[in-house]
Amino acid sequence: MKGAGPECDPRYLAGLYAKSGGQSFGLTLQDFAEILREVSGRYLPAGATQAEAAALHHSLRLEELALARACAQGSEPAWECFLTRYRQKLYGMAVTIARDESIARELADSLYADLFGTRQTHEGRRMSKLASYTGRGSLEGWLRTVLAQEYVNQYRSQRRLVSFDENVDTAGLQADGASSKMPADARLEDAADAALMNLSGEERLILAWYYLDGRTLAEIARMLGVHESTISRRLDSMTTSLRKSIVRELRKRGMSARETEQAMQVDVRDLTLDVRARLVQEKGR
Amino acid sequence: MKRSTVELLMANIPKIIRSRLAQKAAEKFAVHPDPNLLAAFGEHTLPPREHAEVSAHLAGCADCREYFAVAFATAEPERAAVAASPADIPRRQWFPAWRWAASAAAIGCVTAALWQLRVKQSSPVITNPTASVSETRSTQPEPPPPAVAEMKKLQPRAFAKKREPQLLAANKSSARLVDVEPAPTPSAIAQQNPMVALLPPSRQAAAPAPMVRQAAVQDALWSINASPDASLHSYGEIQKSLDGGQTWQTVRLSNDVSFRAIAAVGPHVWAGGSNGALFQSSDGGSHWNRITVAEQDTKLTGAIVSIDAQSEDQLKITSSSGEKWISANGGRDWKRE
């Protein structure tokens, strides 16, 4: 937790509470104030101003936050509302994610159990996953993300159970790949580091999606909420500027124009630039 | 360096990245953005500072990228439903519709002008205008002015009122599919979705109607999970009501099928669901047959999510994998569209 956030004016708090509609789900003003304090503490830095806190509060999905937290507290009207609004959607999302009817049903049922809360605290209260919803995005988006995490985790746990033959084959392929690898020129690696450092987080993300994960332009565009042609243009300009940057950095490191061109050609033929490691390093810096 | 060489070099860089990816394990982060932040990032509602932080994290964290992509790379249809109230709808969403409307109007005006010109040029000399007009009207119906026809053709989807086929009231002896304007009053929604009736009146209007259509036939209403109990199930059950939706009886056809769609025309009822299962009854639901939707070596894949019965012979079904199949003989033979 970063901090508890500044104390709210009671009238301001009452306004937010009324906007949330929490009263109809049996959520008290005190409950609501506590929830806001927790959310503020999670996202606001220590010593945040009233203006920063207000900006955060106004960006929250207050009504959905109140609904989710009331469900977590076991409010019957809240559960009725939740089921009416999200039961069908949740199942539809699970089908979209899993692309298999039976897996989707398992996935949705499993999440339902977590949302309802199958475990209990020492005081005997149900521990509902809905208590971790903070209203930053929509409740539907949050459910989708949680479903996706659940699905990926399940899929990964199944993927680990591969047969011995498959393991041997994979190991063979990896060995072949390793043997064909040549050591990278340190100067080229440094130059690539420097070039990537000049990109913004979103630009590196687009590169990672496109080149590391093999996502299509349409998928990236959908995820970033822009048109496909925008991603295409940005990729074009990024790859061009990346290369120019690398060339510039190599020249800075004392390479002649001819050596630089040779290094780039060698890079294309043989070298392996660990872009992922560099993207990770960027985050760490 | 020539531009062509640059392009060649850049085109090859991704190969290097991919080969390196296969050999390097992803580094692990100690802290990851929670699903709340990822959801807000996916909905583009994060402030710039947090947007940059989450972007930078995703760029370096393959695990989070995978979670996020699974959730949002194919999320368009449901994501559109997030903006439930008009206030939530961004201005840019309605702009493209008006953009097309402006184009349509312009084309319509030009076509109307051309039509007027053509009529003036080609009109014969009428000695008895009244007789000529009445003769024309009696032989064939008056076609709409081309400008209007053009406008209708060019009218964007956003402008066309959504006209879902609905079924006539349950007391009709033989129900048929007709186009009627939906009137989403709270009582109507409550009738379609009994769970809504449990909500306070002030919230009933905001509650969504169920996605599954009800089918009425010979005093019977058919639906999927219409009763309050069944609406809590994550699997779909066929339900039938003989009292206009007051009470519902579950019709059990198969234990391993989750039903998603149902349609009826007269005594003919079709119900479809998971694993491409389609059931048909010709006697108002007393007896059912399972139908295989296939064409030569090709079988329907996915779950049946909608059934459109134009008549007792003309059927069209859609699967969760996006396939559309049609039958012209009540489901005996199928053709993939």
Side-chain angles (χ1 to χ4, degrees):
Chain A
M1 190 180 273
K2 291 182 182 178
E7 282 300 318
C8 294
D9 174 66
R11 281 202 309 183
Y12 166 77
L13 191 64
L16 294 179
Y17 175 62
K19 196 176 166 190
S20 77
Q23 196 172 10
S24 59
F25 303 133
L27 210 62
T28 65
L29 181 61
Q30 286 71 28
D31 292 335
F32 185 75
E34 186 53 40
I35 292 165
L36 268 196
R37 234 173 67 85
E38 179 216 313
V39 173
S40 303
R42 187 185 289 195
Y43 297 112
L44 289 175
T49 62
Q50 290 282 0
E52 285 172 324
L56 173 70
H57 296 155
H58 286 296
S59 74
L60 295 178
R61 302 267 189 154
L62 291 173
E63 206 244 356
E64 289 165 47
L65 177 61
L67 172 66
R69 294 307 183 94
C71 284
Q73 287 187 1
S75 157
E76 285 298 322
W79 269 109
E80 282 168 17
C81 183
F82 179 83
L83 290 171
T84 306
R85 285 194 200 171
Y86 297 104
R87 185 187 67 84
Q88 197 73 32
K89 280 183 183 174
L90 187 64
Y91 187 63
M93 286 188 274
V95 171
T96 309
I97 288 172
R99 295 166 195 268
D100 179 283
E101 196 75 21
S102 56
I103 294 176
R105 202 188 307 166
E106 273 176 33
L107 197 61
D109 287 347
S110 157
L111 182 59
Y112 258 126
D114 288 344
L115 295 178
F116 189 74
T118 47
R119 289 181 300 153
Q120 290 192 333
T121 61
H122 294 300
E123 297 83 39
R125 294 183 64 180
R126 286 202 314 262
M127 291 167 69
S128 164
K129 208 178 181 87
L130 281 165
S132 63
Y133 174 65
T134 62
R136 289 307 303 270
S138 71
L139 185 51
E140 185 180 335
W142 179 82
L143 288 169
R144 182 190 299 285
T145 312
V146 173
L147 266 177
Q149 285 186 338
E150 191 74 23
Y151 174 70
V152 171
N153 291 340
Q154 280 184 16
Y155 174 70
R156 281 190 183 148
S157 64
Q158 285 168 7
R159 197 165 49 182
R160 286 192 201 104
L161 304 172
V162 292
S163 71
F164 178 71
D165 289 346
E166 283 176 89
N167 264 328
V168 169
D169 289 348
T170 315
L173 283 173
Q174 282 172 346
D176 289 348
S179 63
S180 64
K181 181 192 154 195
M182 288 180 65
D185 185 325
R187 284 182 298 181
L188 191 58
E189 283 188 349
D190 290 346
D193 276 349
L196 282 167
M197 257 181 71
N198 291 330
L199 298 179
S200 70
E202 189 174 282
E203 285 172 327
R204 290 199 299 272
L205 176 58
I206 292 172
L207 281 179
W209 267 332
Y210 191 73
Y211 291 121
L212 303 189
D213 300 344
R215 296 276 162 204
T216 64
L217 294 177
E219 285 175 332
I220 299 170
R222 201 174 294 128
M223 288 189 280
L224 289 178
V226 294
H227 195 270
E228 210 176 311
S229 60
T230 307
I231 300 298
S232 172
R233 276 198 304 274
R234 287 184 73 178
L235 272 171
D236 260 358
S237 83
M238 266 189 283
T239 46
T240 308
S241 69
L242 252 184
R243 192 191 175 279
K244 282 181 184 168
S245 271
I246 293 172
V247 169
R248 202 182 312 120
E249 293 295 331
L250 287 174
R251 296 294 302 274
K252 267 191 207 170
R253 284 162 177 75
M255 277 195 183
S256 67
R258 187 180 176 78
E259 283 173 331
T260 302
E261 186 164 351
Q262 277 177 349
M264 294 301 289
Q265 282 170 351
V266 168
D267 160 56
V268 169
R269 280 201 313 271
D270 303 319
L271 297 182
T272 51
L273 277 178
D274 188 358
V275 171
R276 167 174 273 188
R278 274 152 191 74
L279 289 171
V280 171
Q281 283 167 14
E282 299 306 314
K283 168 71 183 164
R285 284 179 192 182
Chain B
M1 191 180 295
K2 288 178 185 174
R3 175 147 178 83
S4 58
T5 317
V6 171
E7 284 169 352
L8 180 69
L9 287 170
M10 291 317 297
N12 281 312
I13 280 179
K15 282 185 185 172
I16 296 164
I17 295 167
R18 278 195 292 272
S19 68
R20 187 63 179 165
L21 247 186
Q23 296 167 32
K24 277 274 181 182
E27 295 215 3
K28 298 292 176 195
F29 283 79
V31 181
H32 300 268
D34 64 21
N36 293 282
L37 279 181
L38 288 180
F41 183 80
E43 290 162 353
H44 323 300
T45 54
L46 282 182
R49 182 182 57 82
E50 283 177 301
H51 179 90
E53 283 176 7
V54 176
S55 297
H57 178 90
L58 287 176
C61 179
D63 287 349
C64 287
R65 265 203 321 275
E66 190 172 4
Y67 293 146
F68 183 80
V70 167
F72 288 98
T74 56
E76 206 62 59
E78 283 89 4
R79 198 159 8 144
V82 170
S85 68
D88 292 338
I89 301 169
R91 288 172 67 85
R92 64 182 177 182
Q93 285 187 359
W94 58 259
F95 172 71
W98 286 103
R99 181 184 61 189
W100 287 111
S103 309
I107 292 169
C109 288
V110 171
T111 315
L114 289 173
W115 170 256
Q116 289 293 329
L117 191 64
R118 197 168 71 87
V119 166
K120 280 182 186 173
Q121 286 172 348
S122 62
S123 293
V125 178
I126 302 169
T127 51
N128 183 350
T130 315
S132 172
V133 170
S134 62
E135 186 182 305
T136 309
R137 281 183 181 164
S138 64
T139 50
Q140 58 183 20
E142 189 177 358
V148 176
E150 283 299 314
M151 280 293 283
K152 280 185 179 171
K153 271 190 215 165
L154 292 167
Q155 197 174 34
R157 277 174 174 268
F159 273 76
K161 285 182 183 171
K162 196 176 179 185
R163 292 167 72 84
E164 294 287 342
Q166 302 276 316
L167 284 142
L168 292 177
N171 57 3
K172 297 280 180 189
S173 59
S174 177
R176 62 190 170 85
L177 285 161
V178 292
D179 276 356
V180 293
E181 186 106 7
T185 59
S187 59
I189 293 170
Q191 195 184 355
Q192 285 182 19
N193 185 357
M195 277 301 288
V196 179
L198 300 171
L199 300 177
S202 60
R203 307 185 72 82
Q204 286 185 1
M211 291 171 71
V212 180
R213 280 188 295 157
Q214 290 175 344
V217 55
Q218 291 182 335
D219 297 338
L221 275 169
W222 294 89
S223 186
I224 307 289
N225 290 5
S227 69
D229 288 345
S231 68
L232 302 179
H233 299 160
S234 59
Y235 51 91
E237 284 181 344
I238 298 174
Q239 295 201 307
K240 180 182 184 179
S241 171
L242 297 171
D243 53 9
Q246 299 292 316
T247 58
W248 293 89
Q249 302 153 12
T250 298
V251 178
R252 297 199 189 282
L253 298 183
S254 170
N255 287 332
D256 56 359
V257 176
S258 173
F259 287 93
R260 304 275 298 274
I262 191 161
V265 177
H268 301 275
V269 190
W270 295 269
S274 54
N275 301 322
L278 181 66
F279 290 84
Q280 185 260 344
S281 169
S282 302
D283 52 10
S286 301
H287 301 90
W288 293 84
N289 299 314
R290 186 163 183 160
I291 297 174
T292 304
V293 182
E295 177 191 29
Q296 292 168 349
D297 298 333
T298 315
K299 268 184 81 171
L300 177 142
T301 59
I304 293 174
V305 293
S306 86
I307 302 173
D308 189 4
Q310 301 291 338
S311 68
E312 61 183 69
D313 291 326
Q314 300 292 329
L315 288 176
K316 184 173 181 178
I317 59 177
T318 311
S319 79
S320 56
S321 55
E323 293 176 13
K324 291 184 192 307
W325 291 74
I326 50 173
S327 170
N329 53 13
R332 280 193 294 280
D333 300 303
W334 289 92
K335 192 176 174 186
R336 190 172 168 181
E337 226 180 28

